[in-house]
Amino acid sequence: MSKKNKDFPILENVTITDFAAEGKCVTRINDLVIFVPFVVPGDIADLKILKKKHSYAEATAVRLVKPSPDRIEPFCQHFGICGGCKWQNMPYSKQLEYKTKQVKDNLERIAKVNLPEISPIIGSEQTSCYRNKLEYSCSNMRWLTSEELSNIDVTDDRQRKQPGIGFHIPGAFDKVLHIEKCWLQNDISNQIRNHIYKYSIDNNLPFINLRSQEGMLRDVMIRIATTGQIMVLVQAKIDHDSQKEQFMELMQSIADTFDQITSLLYVINNKCNDTISDLDIITFKGQDCIYEQMEDLQFKIGPKSFFQTNTNQACTLYSKVREFAAVGKNDLVYDLYTGTGTIAQFVARSCRQVIGIEYVPEAIADAKLNAEFNHIDNTQFFAGDMKDMLTQDFIDKYGKPDVIITDPPRVGMHKDVVDMILWVEAPRIVYVSCNPATLARDLALLDAKYNVDRVQPVDMFPHTQHIEVVTLLSLKKN
């Protein structure tokens, strides 16, 4: 017999006091900290506790008693259900204020090192349609909102089991919210996705069952470059020839309807997950890649390539990295976690050589191609685990760097990597972070030999809690 969840009473007239992690807000009642999504500091609301632990609880707002002066009307019809863009109900200026506070709080609370004044955050000029890549999941039974459920007969499978293409509901791998309009990408993205959905419904193409893995349509990825080039990759599970024929007719319909698409691709994936790194991508029409441009640099982007999803703001970020690095023509630069070598190419023309290291071999292959494409011949790229690659033998072979640029994943740098950086004693380090908490942890470790000279927040993702930070460190003088 399953355990019944405890039914907690409604907490009335609770004032939301601040922002917390993961885009949620927070309030406190006596010694109990309560986390609440989709509210704004200053809101007064009735809260329903969903889960309670010893010192904290998670709740949802069931009634807004009095809105915060900082609350605005979200512009997306899917706000509050989709799980993305959690800060749409707050002015962008306030979002930037809270993001700066997030950086400051983490650095002061965790790093506990001497800090300069944090530079004013660089906001994004585009606060909608700023993403160059979106991935939509397919499902044979989409998530229905409370309003939709109230308007159907839930005992009727035809009404209850409706397919959809959209985003996963937070915390549920098998629940997809059908998206009519997403504001994160140029509207051509909505037109392409909605066409695929309508064609598939009209022609009885089966959507994947995310539990049983039966069905055909799995995933749609759309990339839109600032150059105007568009890539569409449709992922399908094909069990027999008749399904393949149906699927090819869908692809032809996409090609016939959208001549703007410069790279129309598909992948047959009969596995039990949507990862495609080990699968062959087939070009249905056009080229097998698109090209993105930042300043005078061009970058080849394939369906498996990693590239910052906000191109214009990425250019701002990399320019700030180059400014902080202040490389000279005789400098050797190490670019750790180089990805596809974008930062490496931003600084390569100003220095003697850049050595890039990255865990993902496909990214290194792209880095080499992009360097060649941009006629940059003073870069070397190596694939491997950073803590295994960045060793004393490696440095003895390729030289001690004058500048280290490091752009690790959200988990930050492995302690072995930090220890090696401390051993190297490069005069300058430029640390690019997408997680102020792990940045703060690493700064505390680097404090043994480095001062923090500059801290520059850059907002890459408006309406979300995510923030990038560029930090300049200099070697302490003995």
Side-chain angles (χ1 to χ4, degrees), residues 180-218:
E180 294 181 14
K181 179 178 176 64
C182 179
W183 291 82
L184 286 172
Q185 206 170 42
N186 185 301
D187 197 55
I188 187 66
S189 176
N190 291 309
Q191 296 171 33
I192 293 168
R193 185 196 63 252
N194 289 335
H195 173 82
I196 293 172
Y197 177 73
K198 185 177 186 306
Y199 179 93
S200 301
I201 293 294
D202 291 346
N203 292 275
N204 297 313
L205 270 65
F207 290 63
I208 197 80
N209 181 315
L210 293 170
R211 286 187 175 272
S212 69
Q213 290 296 303
E214 298 172 306
M216 179 194 296
L217 297 179
R218 301 189 67 127

Side-chain angles (χ1 to χ4, degrees), residues 99-144:
K99 290 188 183 194
T100 302
K101 183 177 182 296
Q102 177 187 346
V103 173
K104 187 173 186 293
D105 288 350
N106 275 278
L107 295 187
E108 291 180 348
R109 179 173 52 86
I110 301 172
K112 296 179 181 176
V113 301
N114 290 326
L115 294 169
E117 183 176 350
I118 295 175
S119 300
I121 187 171
I122 302 175
S124 176
E125 289 188 9
Q126 286 181 273
T127 58
S128 63
C129 304
Y130 62 82
R131 285 186 67 101
N132 56 43
K133 177 187 176 185
L134 282 178
E135 290 186 76
Y136 299 101
S137 295
C138 302
S139 173
N140 72 325
M141 192 167 74
R142 67 183 176 91
W143 175 265
L144 296 176

Side-chain angles (χ1 to χ4, degrees), residues 53 263 320 344 346:
K53 300 292 184 181
S263 176
K320 186 58 64 173
F346 258 68

Side-chain angles (χ1 to χ4, degrees), residues 255-271:
D256 292 342
T257 308
F258 299 98
D259 57 7
Q260 308 99 314
I261 297 174
T262 48
S263 176
L264 181 56
L265 316 170
Y266 70 90
V267 57
I268 306 302
N269 180 3
N270 291 341
K271 303 183 301 179

